[in-house]
Each structure stands twice: as C-alpha cells, then as structure tokens.
Amino acid sequence: MRTITDRRLPPVRAVLHNHDLVRALIACAASATAEWSLWTAALVYAHAHGGATAAGFVSLCLVVPAALAAPFGGSAADADRPDRSLVVVFAAQTICLTWAALAALAGAPVPTVVAPIAATTTLMTFIRPAFSVVVPGLVATTAQLTAANLLTGYVDNTAVLVGPLLAGGLLEVQGPGLVFAACAAMALSSTFVTTPLTRLDPPPATPGPDRPRRSRGRRLVDDTRRLARSRGVAALLVVLGGQYVLIGGLDLAYVVLATDTLHLDASGPGLLSACFGGGAIVGGLLSTLLVGRRLLTPHLIASLAAIAVALVILSGWTALTSALVLLPVIGSSRAVFDVTGRMLIQRAAPQDALGAVFATLEALSLAGTVLGSVVVQVLVAVAGVRAALAGMGCLLGLLVVAAVLGLRGVDDVADTHVVEVRLLRRMPLFAALPPPELEGIARASRHEVAASGQAIITAGETGDLYYAISRGAVDVFVDGAFVRTLGRGQGFGEVALLADVARTATVVANVDSDLLCVDRSAFLTAVTGQDASRQAAWAVARSYADRAHSNVV
C-alpha cells in the first residue's frame, strides 16, 4: 500500500477553516441568541399586560405545541435532506417573527403576539435534530466532530448571555416589539447562511430491496423502538431532558424575582438571565478539559448536583447579591452538564438515528420546560419565589438520583463513529446495509490525508483498501488519460477488492483530501453479504467503465 502523509490540521483549526461548518455555526449562534431573546421579551410582554399569571400561561403556550411537534423533527432530520429542512424552518421563522414584531409594536393583545411566537418556538424543535445530522456530514474526522460539538457548546453558552443582554437593551429602547424584530433579522440571516449548505451533499442513495424506504411515521416508530432498546440511552435522554426543569422555571422566576422581589426596572429579568449566561460561558471554557476523556458520566452527575445545591441556597438567601453570585454558578454548572451530555449522546446513540435521538431530547426538554414552568407558577402563586427556587432544586436533586442509578455503564458502551457512519450511509454501495453492518464498517475504517498532487493508488499495484472521500477531490486516470474527478461522498477502489485484480487506474489527489479507508476484509464481509450492496458496488464499477471506455479502478 502507498503511504499517505498525514498533514491534517488540528481539529479546532480544521473546523475554523471549514467554511461550510462555519456557516452552520453562524446559523446556530443566531438561532440560539434569538431563542433566548425571544423568551425574555415574550414573558415581559405578557407580564406587562396581565401579571405573573399571564406570563405563566404564555410560557405554557410557547412550549406545549413545540413539545407535540418535537418527535416529527427527528423524522425530518433523518430524512434525505435535513439541510433543506433547516433553510425552510429559518425562512418560516422569519415570517412569524416579523408578524409578532409588527403586532407588538402596534400594542396588539397578548394572543395576537403570542401566536406567531408559539409557531416560532415550535419550528425551533426542528433545528437541533437537523443540525445534529448535518454537522457530521460537514466534518472529515471524529476529532473534528468533537471540536465542532465543543464550538457549538460555546455558541449556545454565549447565546445564554448575549440573548438576554440584547433583549434587556432593546426592551429599554423600545420594548418587546423591537426584540421580536431583531429576532426576525437573525432568522433571516440564518436562512441566507444555510442556503449554500443545500448544494453540498450528493443526491441521497436509493435504498435497495434489503432496506426499503420508510415513511416518516414508520421511521419515527422504528427509531423510537431502537432508542428504547439501546443500553443507557433512554436514561441519558431522560436526565438531559429533565434538566430543562431549570430552564422552564428560571424563565418565569427571572421576571417575578426581578420585578416583584428585587424591584428592578424593565431590564432586570435580562440582567439576571445574563448572570446565568456569564457563568455559562465560563462553564463552556471549563468543559474543554473534558474533551478526550473516556469517563464523562461522573462530570455529568457532579454538575447537575451543583445546580441543585445552588438553587436551594438561593431560595434561602433571596437578594440581589446572592443572585449575582449563585446564578453564574448555576449557569456554569449547566454548561458543563450540557456539553458533557452532548458528547455522551454522540458517542452512545445509534448513529443512523441521530435525528430521532435529538428529536426525542427536544420533546423531553420541552416537557421539562413545561414542568418547570408549572411548578414555578404554582409555587409562586402559593408560597412565593423562594419556594419556587427550592422546588426546582428538589426536582433536580431527584434527577441526580436517577442519573446515578440509570447511567451506570453508559461510558462503557459509548462509541465515536458518527462521522464515518454519516458519510458511508450516503453512498450507494452502503445504502442498503442494515445499521449493525454499517456501524461495523465504520469501526473498521481509519482516516488518512492525501496532499494535493499525491498519488493515492497507482495502476498495477495490489488493491487492499476501499477509499471514501470525506473532504476534497481526486482525479482518476486510466492509461495516462484523465477520466473523471470524484468529490466528497464518493469513493473508489471497489473493483480491485470485488474482482481480486490489480489496480487498473491511477488516482491522484486534486487538492488536500481527507479519506476514509476500509480494508479488504471488512469491505467484502459487509458488501458481499447483501445482494443490494453487491449489485450497487458493481453498478458503480460499470459506470466508471462506461466513462473510461476501459477497465476501472
């Protein structure tokens, strides 16, 4: 085999040099910032027009429709073109938020303003699952995916600070209407930056008879059953979704605590939320220390316990000073919890059902948000904000117990081949393979880098690897004549393995290219064990032969 020089950039630098991934991160940042700004402004608008009861009712109106729609976000994300789903969702959000802004600026009744915002929060449930499926297709290695997850965590945690600060500033200038207008502008920018991503992926591979195309409803049922059977994944999803009791409760607690207890002005809720966000940024930086560690569950449990303890302390010491001290602690711990949970999900979840995994998490997180909002609303009405904070602390304490009991062994079954599976399942040769066989090929593969101008295979040599292009492009030459250029999502080298012949073509890297290499035994075991895959492999080979009017690679 010809040795390929590894000149890969460090993962974070590679991510920052990946313009397509940067576009996705920009859209993620705009969406997350708009979400935090939107919630603050919507609750302030409702509180101003009807007090704490109206604010609590509005919080339910924002999360209940989203919770009902969340499972369908997974089927959309696991469908053929999740990239297009992102663009459609961002465009629809732009329309809804423009409506909300105009209505709020005109002083319309609360239902008129809340309806388009509820539609926007419902559409948000489609973003995270689609994003989780699109990103693995934009990176070249698992290390880059880890770096992308870390940067996504930074983006989310920064949005927790920037969103409320932006909302607080705009509330002072004009009121909620201006906040909704700014969110509409961010949704429009997300639409523009994600549109180029729809031109990146090759056409989806057509499943063969061994893997028929499923309807979205059937896919939802099948993926839900797989999640239930996956060891530790169901418990992990429950724990991660349950933390949103904190988010749902704090959204309302900020408003009540700032206005009724601390007697702050209109920017008070934004100030308290920003304290939480400032801690989240610190926690995001601390979570960098967890990258590459095999055991993540202890850090997940410890950070959740820290949140519960801080809430109980805050409930007994309700003052501006305590809020400024403890809310950053809560935000920092929650950031560590969130990034750790994201890493565990990527490792432990079935890799062909990532959309379903994150859609289930969305549904559970919204259910947690509803529970938190209801608990805080009831406790505020009955016993005040201190009881509400203590109640959230107790609920999260119960979640700590559930995590200790339910997450034992999750680290032992975690895998990290999401990037490889995402690449292979888009290719015709592997589209018909059942999930276990596809994941087996991914585990048996390895990454290599070919420098621009370097020969990857040469005519006449023995073939022992199949190559899938995860990033870059290669040129194919037969008898010295150029045949074609292959790009991301395409592969070469199958005929030498299938027919046991020497290479009859030379393949040269057109640019610096990342390659996923599968050795002969793993390739033949998987491909020849499925009729549809074997037929697809020979169909690809024949297409190369037709182009070259000669033998194939």
Side-chain angles (χ1 to χ4, degrees):
M1 174 194 164
R2 184 175 301 272
T3 300
I4 301 177
T5 303
D6 192 342
R7 296 173 57 188
R8 188 179 295 118
L9 290 171
V12 173
R13 286 185 59 195
V15 167
L16 296 177
H17 280 74
N18 184 335
H19 299 302
D20 300 324
L21 185 56
V22 170
R23 289 189 185 95
L25 289 173
I26 290 173
C28 177
S31 176
T33 302
E35 182 176 4
W36 284 96
S37 301
L38 187 64
W39 274 86
T40 300
L43 292 178
V44 167
Y45 191 87
H47 191 273
H49 286 73
T53 301
F57 178 74
V58 166
S59 68
L60 294 178
C61 292
L62 295 183
V63 296
V64 171
L68 295 175
F72 298 96
S75 61
D78 282 326
D80 292 332
R81 299 309 300 264
D83 44 6
R84 292 180 179 175
S85 297
L86 279 176
V87 175
V88 172
V89 166
F90 286 135
Q93 285 185 327
T94 303
I95 296 172
C96 293
L97 289 170
T98 301
W99 171 12
L102 294 175
L105 289 172
V110 172
T112 305
V113 176
V114 169
I117 297 176
T120 300
T121 57
T122 300
L123 290 168
M124 284 177 177
T125 63
F126 288 77
I127 295 174
R128 178 70 71 183
F131 188 77
S132 70
V133 175
V134 168
V135 168
L138 299 178
V139 298
T141 66
T142 301
Q144 291 179 18
L145 178 62
T146 300
N149 284 333
L150 192 62
L151 290 175
T152 302
Y154 290 162
V155 164
D156 286 341
N157 294 326
T158 302
V160 177
L161 172 63
V162 174
L165 283 179
L166 177 64
L170 295 179
L171 285 169
E172 282 290 324
V173 173
Q174 181 65 41
L178 188 58
V179 179
F180 302 148
C183 293
M186 286 185 276
L188 181 62
S189 68
S190 297
T191 306
F192 282 122
V193 298
T194 54
T195 297
L197 301 182
T198 62
R199 299 192 294 268
L200 296 178
D201 272 345
T206 302
D210 293 331
R211 189 182 176 191
R213 190 180 297 276
R214 300 173 294 167
S215 67
R216 289 191 176 182
R218 182 73 258 174
R219 184 184 298 119
L220 178 61
V221 173
D222 292 345
D223 290 343
T224 301
R225 289 175 177 172
R226 288 197 68 199
L227 293 182
R229 294 194 299 267
S230 300
R231 178 183 171 188
V233 173
L236 182 58
L237 287 172
V238 170
V239 172
L240 291 176
Q243 57 135 343
Y244 279 84
V245 168
L246 173 72
I247 303 302
L250 282 183
D251 281 334
L252 183 58
Y254 289 147
V255 177
V256 178
L257 182 63
T259 57
D260 296 347
T261 302
L262 302 180
H263 305 293
L264 302 177
D265 57 20
S267 63
L271 172 64
L272 297 183
S273 185
C275 290
F276 178 91
I281 292 179
V282 175
L285 295 174
L286 291 175
S287 63
T288 306
L289 302 175
L290 301 177
V291 175
R293 296 198 178 190
R294 190 183 71 84
L295 297 178
L296 295 176
T297 302
H299 302 284
L300 187 83
I301 295 173
S303 58
L304 186 60
I307 297 172
V309 171
L311 281 171
V312 172
I313 295 175
L314 183 59
S315 69
W317 182 26
T318 306
L320 181 59
T321 302
S322 62
L324 295 178
V325 171
L326 291 172
L327 285 176
V329 173
I330 296 172
S332 177
S333 300
R334 193 260 172 178
V336 173
F337 179 91
D338 189 57
V339 173
T340 305
R342 192 193 308 276
M343 292 179 183
L344 271 174
I345 281 287
Q346 289 280 16
R347 293 181 184 183
Q351 300 304 318
D352 67 324
L354 278 180
V357 170
F358 279 89
T360 303
L361 180 57
E362 282 289 322
L364 292 173
S365 66
L366 289 167
T369 303
V370 171
L371 177 61
S373 178
V374 170
V375 167
V376 169
Q377 185 176 175
V378 171
L379 290 178
V380 165
V382 173
V385 72
R386 290 187 175 185
L389 294 170
M392 282 194 295
C394 291
L395 283 175
L396 292 178
L398 293 175
L399 200 61
V400 171
V401 176
V404 171
L405 297 177
L407 298 183
R408 289 176 295 182
V410 170
D411 285 304
D412 296 333
V413 300
D415 205 345
T416 57
H417 297 286
V418 57
V419 174
E420 293 83 353
V421 170
R422 174 64 179 163
L423 174 66
L424 295 173
R425 71 189 292 226
R426 303 287 297 180
M427 303 177 68
L429 272 68
F430 308 108
L433 290 179
E437 283 76 4
L438 190 61
E439 292 182 16
I441 291 183
R443 283 190 292 271
S445 65
R446 67 177 185 271
H447 287 275
E448 293 184 352
V449 174
S452 177
Q454 183 175 1
I456 302 167
I457 63 175
T458 303
E461 67 182 7
T462 301
D464 55 0
L465 291 174
Y466 174 79
Y467 297 89
I469 305 170
S470 56
R471 182 156 297 277
V474 301
D475 293 329
V476 181
F477 298 87
V478 175
D479 295 331
F482 172 78
V483 175
R484 65 179 303 190
T485 297
L486 303 175
R488 187 171 70 91
Q490 296 178 294
F492 56 94
E494 68 280 350
V495 173
L497 306 182
L498 290 169
D500 195 20
V501 297
R503 305 287 194 191
T504 57
T506 297
V507 178
V508 179
N510 184 296
V511 295
D512 289 351
S513 301
D514 289 279
L515 306 170
L516 184 66
C517 307
V518 183
D519 66 35
R520 175 192 291 270
S521 60
F523 177 87
L524 292 178
T525 298
V527 173
T528 60
Q530 300 285 329
D531 288 339
S533 295
R534 183 169 58 252
Q535 294 170 12
W538 282 110
V540 172
R542 283 192 295 271
S543 72
Y544 291 169
D546 292 341
R547 286 177 176 269
H549 301 289
S550 182
N551 291 328
V552 291
V553 180

